[in-house]
Amino acid sequence: MKPVDPEMRALLLGAIPALRAFAFSLTRDFDRSDDLVQETLVRAWTKADSFTPGTNLYAWLFTILRNLFYSEQRKRRREVEDADGVMAGRLTALPDQEARVELSAFQEALNTLPPSQREALVLVGAQNFTYEEAAEICGVAVGTIKSRVSRARVRLIELLGMTGPDDIGSDGATLAALSHP
């Protein structure tokens, strides 16, 4: 059995909230995202010797998570999807507060983005990765990430019926997602 490295353990535990948010942005399912985070942490722990100290641990973890997600997606291709959201719509309760309605509208709009744009926007806008780090995580060029984020922001503003980021409130995550750097 591998000896416990308290520093690595603390770093992995500290990354859980960010990993959960990213996993949920990919899966849009709390249970699947928790399973994905758990698998990511197990994989990171067992492969900790392949992590280079002094480099970006979050980028390494997000890459593991992303790779696990896409591997899982390839395996799930034969499952029946609820593409139009009818079944999921029956399971949700109507929001009872304005902020909840706005968040729901934002989530709906975010979910309509192509996965590559949504992924780039979440990494840069919500997780505060640099374009370079996001490009490394996604395995694409920096210009591709910039383009995806830009297109995603423009599309979200259109879908939400806004003229620009000034139309939104002070919610930090929403501001980050819709604002240009």
Side-chain angles (χ1 to χ4, degrees):
M1 183 171 203
K2 187 176 185 171
V4 175
D5 178 356
E7 182 181 355
M8 179 58 93
R9 182 179 186 275
L11 290 170
L12 291 177
L13 290 175
I16 291 174
L19 289 170
R20 289 186 79 210
F22 183 53
F24 185 76
S25 77
L26 294 172
T27 65
R28 295 181 303 258
D29 177 287
F30 287 114
D31 293 331
R32 278 184 64 203
S33 60
D34 282 344
D35 291 345
L36 193 56
V37 169
Q38 180 178 354
E39 182 62 28
T40 299
L41 293 172
V42 168
R43 185 85 42 104
W45 185 257
T46 60
K47 303 287 185 186
D49 54 335
S50 69
F51 174 70
T52 307
T55 61
N56 189 334
L57 176 73
Y58 276 48
W60 183 66
L61 292 171
F62 274 59
T63 301
I64 293 171
L65 188 145
R66 182 180 180 276
N67 290 341
L68 286 169
F69 171 75
Y70 284 112
S71 292
E72 181 182 290
Q73 287 297 97
R74 284 188 292 276
K75 291 176 187 174
R76 290 181 178 239
R77 281 194 178 144
R78 294 196 173 132
E79 289 185 16
V80 176
E81 278 190 34
D82 184 21
D84 56 2
V86 172
M87 294 301 293
R90 289 186 205 157
L91 300 175
T92 59
L94 294 175
D96 55 358
Q97 298 174 341
E98 188 176 331
R100 204 174 212 182
V101 172
E102 291 173 358
L103 180 59
S104 178
F106 178 78
Q107 186 66 45
E108 241 178 77
L110 186 64
N111 289 342
T112 65
L113 296 175
S116 60
Q117 289 180 14
R118 184 174 58 244
E119 177 181 61
L121 185 63
V122 168
L123 287 171
V124 173
Q127 294 296 330
N128 293 319
F129 280 104
T130 65
Y131 288 117
E132 291 78 13
E133 292 167 333
E136 184 180 326
I137 290 168
C138 295
V140 298
V142 174
T144 302
I145 288 294
K146 288 181 179 181
S147 176
R148 288 177 182 175
V149 169
S150 177
R151 286 192 311 262
R153 286 178 171 149
V154 167
R155 185 68 182 134
L156 278 179
I157 289 170
E158 288 172 3
L159 289 169
L160 296 171
M162 301 175 171
T163 58
D166 295 334
D167 290 350
I168 60 176
S170 60
D171 172 44
T174 305
L175 282 170
L178 295 177
S179 298
H180 295 283

